[in-house]
Amino acid sequence: MSTTEQFDVVVVGGGPAGSTLAALVAKQGHSVLVLEKEFFPRYQIGESLLPSTIHGVCRLSGAADELAKAGFPLKKGGTFRWGANPQPWTFSFSVSPTMAGPTSTAYQVERSKFDKILLDNARRVGAQVREGCSVGDVIEDGDRVTGIRYTDSDGTEREALAQFVVDASGNKSRLYQRVGGTRVYSEFFRSLALFGYFEGGKRLPEPTRYNILCVAFDSGWFWYIPLSDELTSVGAVVRREMAEKIQGDPEKALQALIAECPMISDFLSPAQRVTTGQYGQIRVRKDYSYHHTTFWRPGMMLVGDAACFVDPVFSSGVHLATYGALLAARSINSSLAGIVEEKAAMQEFEARYRREFSVFYEFLVSFYQMHQDENSYFWQAKKVTQNTHSELVSFVDLVGGMSSGENALTDADALAKRLQTQSDQFASAAGGMSGGNGEWSAMLNAPVVQESMKEGAKVQLAAMLGEDAEPEPPMFDGGLIPSPDGLLWLPSTTQ
């Protein structure tokens, strides 16, 4: 192979964001190269998915049928021990009319298997995938990124030139810095997670056996994700100010946190921690919520964890990654086809991506604020500016406007009032729920819940109906609209 090659698109990173984007662009007949530094399968965290990823984005990319054959546990919703209600309460995806029936489920996945299915699908639909390749830097021509330099699995230094370079290399890569801007970490969700894997843990009763279980306790919250009948992913999320709780021996630290949380302690009472293989290590991840101040420059885009990530209590990580990849693929496809000018396509991508991030961010702030124990340090809004406003308004002053291009988040006082109202709605609805499916109508009708479900439901509907889907209005004044097949942007007829 030549040391310099030409492609329409080079994607750095073969995780869910990179493989999804590669498939959606390759399906349009464009030449796509995916460069992945590891060899799949490989370990990754982020194992609980949302329906819009499976029945929406993965249906559009062509991966849905292979995922259905993989035998992943079927996730029907989530179960929470959270807020003032001492009893666990459950929500089901099926309460949403747009997700009723066969699309009202998602999967709990072993990411090593899930990610490989998505990467293999990108290969199947036409992308070139090269594993064991380490990307060094971008190639520039003036203000535009025109390619990348990388070292292949044999140690040979190579160049790949392209119309577009997409950084989908995750939260640890430094390539994202080449898009310009800075990474901004949330002061509200400045957290650390300590997690491991157990065999033989208890399960919720049917029909919620494979739900994600999230349990709040004084120091933070636990996730408990059934990956099979035997294997469970278990993690504790604590605020950075409590970092001493996870220092020292990680085994002792995790066991001490488990002992703090009676429900998780009970569920793990018959279990043994996995100590060998890809799940044998107790791991730590920090700074769970951040966003980059720009998602693109001419010739380059950020998707997935390279662009943003928000606290995982509602399993939004893979959703944001794959949804961002869909938006980016539409922009690339439209630009390469000459349907929309590149700048307009990129602005649409960034505006929609930031909006989805900000919706989940606001959703999660509201959810955290619903906790009724005012003495629990973890649940209090952190005062992050030196002014006379309330702690929540101070927090919004600092980070609210930066997590979205929306004017709605630039008025700190208005947002603080809205967050408090939404938190009260959460608390009231959760307080009325029982140990089963509960009365979920109050929670479903909360505006912040409806807003967080809206875009995922649209993607699912478009994937199911294809050309028969109703045309969408533009999301923003003068903005673009998705094509009926969901793979392109089109000018709005209202322009």
Side-chain angles (χ1 to χ4, degrees):
M1 116 183 38
S2 169
T3 56
T4 300
E5 297 175 280
Q6 180 75 51
F7 297 88
D8 292 322
V9 181
V10 173
V11 182
V12 182
S19 58
T20 295
L21 183 143
L24 293 170
V25 174
K27 287 182 72 173
Q28 291 294 103
H30 304 302
S31 60
V32 182
L33 173 65
V34 180
L35 298 173
E36 166 57 46
K37 67 177 181 179
E38 299 187 50
F39 290 92
F40 281 32
R42 56 87 177 96
Y43 173 81
Q44 186 57 270
I45 191 63
E47 298 140 330
S48 196
L49 306 185
L50 297 182
S52 61
T53 298
I54 302 303
H55 304 292
V57 179
C58 289
R59 178 62 59 191
L60 292 173
S61 72
D65 290 343
E66 288 303 312
L67 291 171
K69 298 174 186 176
F72 294 125
L74 206 58
K75 171 185 173 182
K76 298 181 179 179
T79 298
F80 288 78
R81 166 55 195 94
W82 200 280
N85 191 338
Q87 298 301 315
W89 47 269
T90 292
F91 75 87
S92 298
F93 294 129
S94 60
V95 298
S96 168
T98 57
M99 291 190 292
T103 64
S104 64
T105 57
Y107 300 127
Q108 312 285 22
V109 299
E110 294 183 65
R111 283 286 302 277
S112 57
K113 298 177 181 178
F114 174 77
D115 290 11
K116 188 174 188 305
I117 290 172
L118 265 57
L119 190 61
D120 288 345
N121 176 68
R123 280 192 182 96
R124 184 182 62 81
V125 298
Q128 289 193 45
V129 177
R130 298 174 189 166
E131 299 173 69
C133 294
S134 177
V135 174
D137 202 355
V138 300
I139 300 170
E140 297 175 310
D141 182 4
D143 292 336
R144 188 175 187 85
V145 172
T146 58
I148 54 91
R149 296 183 179 91
Y150 72 101
T151 303
D152 69 15
S153 58
D154 295 326
T156 302
E157 293 186 1
R158 301 187 180 278
E159 293 183 351
L161 304 179
Q163 294 293 315
F164 294 98
V165 170
V166 179
D167 181 13
S169 56
N171 68 313
K172 294 181 180 179
S173 169
R174 292 294 174 263
L175 194 67
Y176 72 89
Q177 296 172 349
R178 304 295 276 137
V179 84
T182 56
R183 181 174 287 185
V184 178
Y185 291 92
S186 166
E187 291 293 338
F188 190 85
F189 292 115
R190 197 104 186 204
S191 304
L192 301 107
L194 183 70
F195 51 97
Y197 295 80
F198 293 78
E199 288 183 335
K202 294 181 180 180
R203 293 288 179 260
L204 293 163
E206 294 291 359
T208 59
R209 177 178 178 83
Y210 296 119
N211 274 14
I212 184 173
L213 173 64
C214 295
V215 182
F217 68 117
D218 283 346
S219 296
W221 64 274
F222 269 98
W223 75 68
Y224 189 94
I225 303 174
L227 300 178
S228 70
D229 286 335
E230 286 296 316
L231 183 66
T232 308
S233 173
V234 181
V237 178
V238 300
R239 286 197 68 104
R240 179 175 286 277
E241 290 80 0
M242 294 185 175
E244 72 278 359
K245 287 182 175 284
I246 65 172
Q247 291 175 350
D249 184 339
E251 183 82 48
K252 291 181 180 178
L254 184 57
Q255 290 299 333
L257 288 166
I258 291 169
E260 278 190 48
C261 185
M263 187 173 184
I264 295 298
S265 183
D266 174 62
F267 268 61
L268 289 176
S269 58
Q272 296 290 323
R273 189 177 75 79
V274 177
T275 56
T276 60
Q278 67 171 327
Y279 299 126
Q281 177 184 349
I282 295 178
R283 294 175 166 91
V284 176
R285 183 167 174 183
K286 62 181 180 178
D287 292 328
Y288 248 41
S289 296
Y290 57 84
H291 68 276
H292 204 67
T293 55
T294 183
F295 286 173
W296 72 280
R297 62 178 282 197
M300 184 176 180
M301 310 170 79
L302 304 181
V303 295
D305 289 2
C308 58
F309 187 83
V310 70
D311 183 276
V313 69
F314 268 94
S315 310
S316 56
V318 175
H319 162 71
L320 282 173
T322 55
Y323 177 70
L326 172 62
L327 297 176
R330 287 173 179 169
S331 297
I332 291 171
N333 288 338
S334 300
S335 297
L336 291 176
I339 298 172
V340 176
E341 289 188 359
E342 179 181 327
K343 184 177 180 180
M346 297 301 148
Q347 288 175 336
E348 189 74 24
F349 150 73
E350 176 152 357
R352 287 184 182 243
Y353 201 1
R354 285 197 183 281
R355 181 191 175 282
E356 190 74 354
F357 173 82
S358 68
V359 163
F360 270 88
Y361 192 94
E362 183 176 331
F363 177 96
L364 289 162
V365 171
S366 301
F367 191 71
Y368 271 69
Q369 286 293 112
M370 69 174 271
H371 198 276
Q372 301 301 296
D373 181 5
E374 295 300 326
N375 297 316
S376 178
Y377 179 72
F378 180 78
W379 302 100
Q380 293 177 7
K382 179 178 171 58
K383 189 168 186 177
V384 294
T385 58
Q386 299 298 317
N387 60 35
T388 58
H389 292 156
S390 70
E391 291 185 348
L392 186 56
V393 172
S394 298
F395 151 69
V396 173
D397 277 336
L398 183 68
V399 301
M402 291 189 292
S403 63
S404 171
E406 305 280 322
N407 292 332
L409 290 188
T410 60
D411 185 336
D413 291 284
L415 178 57
K417 291 175 182 177
R418 188 164 79 248
L419 293 175
Q420 188 58 59
T421 299
Q422 290 164 176
S423 299
D424 291 344
Q425 290 172 339
F426 272 127
S428 176
M433 287 178 165
S434 67
N437 276 331
E439 182 49 58
W440 226 75
S441 58
M443 188 79 84
L444 178 64
N445 289 328
V448 72
V449 177
Q450 293 184 333
E451 197 67 17
S452 67
M453 297 169 66
K454 184 165 65 176
E455 283 308 298
K458 284 183 182 177
V459 173
Q460 282 185 237
L461 198 60
M464 286 189 296
L465 298 180
E467 297 288 341
D468 295 327
E470 289 288 328
E472 290 183 28
M475 181 174 286
F476 309 102
D477 289 341
L480 305 174
I481 60 173
S483 60
D485 64 6
L487 300 181
L488 299 160
W489 295 125
L490 300 175
S492 169
T493 55
T494 62
Q495 291 184 23

